[in-house]
Amino acid sequence: MKMMIGLGNPGKQYEKTRHNVGFQVIDELAERFAAPPMQLKFNGAYTILHRPEGKVLLVKPLTYMNLSGECVRPLMDYYDIDVNDIVVMYDDLDLAPGQLRLRQKGSAGGHNGMKSLIAHIGTLTFNRVRMGIGRPTGGMKVPDYVLSTFSKEELPLIEDMVQRSADACEEWLKKPFLEVMNTFNQQKEN
């Protein structure tokens, strides 16, 4: 079984914010695969897909960003999912809006959701899709920035990035993550 995790915050007020691009990828995958309705358990919303490539768990932790690991670890344990069979999609301040970078390991880079995951999973080595949201300008504080919505100019870049992230996840069902990473990291951004 593979597990695809999108990080974000629950609640209508956070739906279209920069911090919720991970949730947007899960929503896109659920729509693409005509997924069954989400179940609410393990401090998260999740659904199980039965694909020709095997079972896939789509997960949105509902613990709020900073406690994401409190949802993911119990799900991994319950379904006996190996750390090599997870991928995490999350927003990244160090990448320009719309930019995508796939990695197999790394630090949290100051991202509290990733800090929580690393602490609960117990390793820095797991598949991830870093989704660019850019850095705040004009003296805006990071917490306010990540909870803000995208500008009209950024929206097409973000929508494209969400699609490409979902494409990468779909490709991962058929190919090793390293191969997917090499393909998607070489693609040129618009």
Side-chain angles (χ1 to χ4, degrees):
M1 181 181 272
K2 289 190 172 179
M3 185 173 177
M4 298 176 182
I5 305 139
L7 299 189
N9 285 315
K12 272 249 181 269
Q13 70 272 36
Y14 299 113
E15 272 180 13
K16 299 291 181 187
T17 63
R18 296 170 188 279
H19 230 11
N20 272 39
V21 290
F23 274 17
Q24 289 181 36
V25 177
I26 295 299
D27 292 341
E28 171 60 25
L29 288 165
E31 191 175 310
R32 277 186 193 190
F33 296 144
M38 291 274 184
Q39 302 176 51
L40 300 176
K41 279 190 200 165
F42 300 100
N43 292 312
Y46 71 95
T47 188
I48 298 172
L49 306 171
H50 297 273
R51 303 273 310 151
E53 306 89 357
K55 288 183 186 174
V56 180
L57 201 59
L58 299 180
V59 180
K60 296 196 295 189
L62 300 179
T63 52
Y64 290 94
M65 185 63 80
N66 297 357
L67 304 174
S68 298
E70 291 180 12
C71 164
V72 173
R73 180 81 249 180
L75 272 168
M76 287 176 70
D77 292 344
Y78 185 81
Y79 287 104
D80 194 26
I81 297 171
D82 188 80
V83 73
N84 296 317
D85 291 324
I86 71 168
V87 65
V88 181
M89 283 74 66
Y90 65 100
D91 58 289
D92 194 313
L93 291 163
D94 293 325
L95 297 174
Q99 199 175 15
L100 204 58
R101 283 290 169 266
L102 281 66
R103 293 283 178 264
Q104 289 187 299
K105 63 181 174 185
S107 71
H111 193 288
N112 289 330
M114 291 303 286
K115 284 180 189 170
S116 175
L117 277 176
I118 290 165
H120 283 84
I121 294 172
T123 181
L124 296 172
T125 306
F126 55 89
N127 303 324
R128 51 192 84 188
V129 178
R130 297 169 48 209
M131 304 172 69
I133 62 167
R135 287 210 163 263
T137 57
M140 187 182 223
K141 295 193 179 336
V142 168
D144 296 330
Y145 179 73
V146 297
L147 296 178
S148 70
T149 56
F150 293 99
S151 70
K152 199 166 67 172
E153 296 75 32
E154 291 170 322
L155 271 177
L157 298 172
I158 300 311
E159 289 165 5
D160 179 63
M161 177 179 70
V162 167
Q163 293 297 320
R164 286 183 291 123
S165 298
D167 292 346
C169 288
E170 198 170 346
E171 199 66 19
W172 178 54
L173 296 177
K174 302 172 192 110
K175 297 178 181 171
F177 192 80
L178 183 62
E179 201 174 313
V180 176
M181 185 174 92
N182 289 337
T183 299
F184 280 81
N185 285 348
Q186 287 173 7
Q187 288 180 357
K188 295 253 187 281
E189 269 77 22
N190 296 337

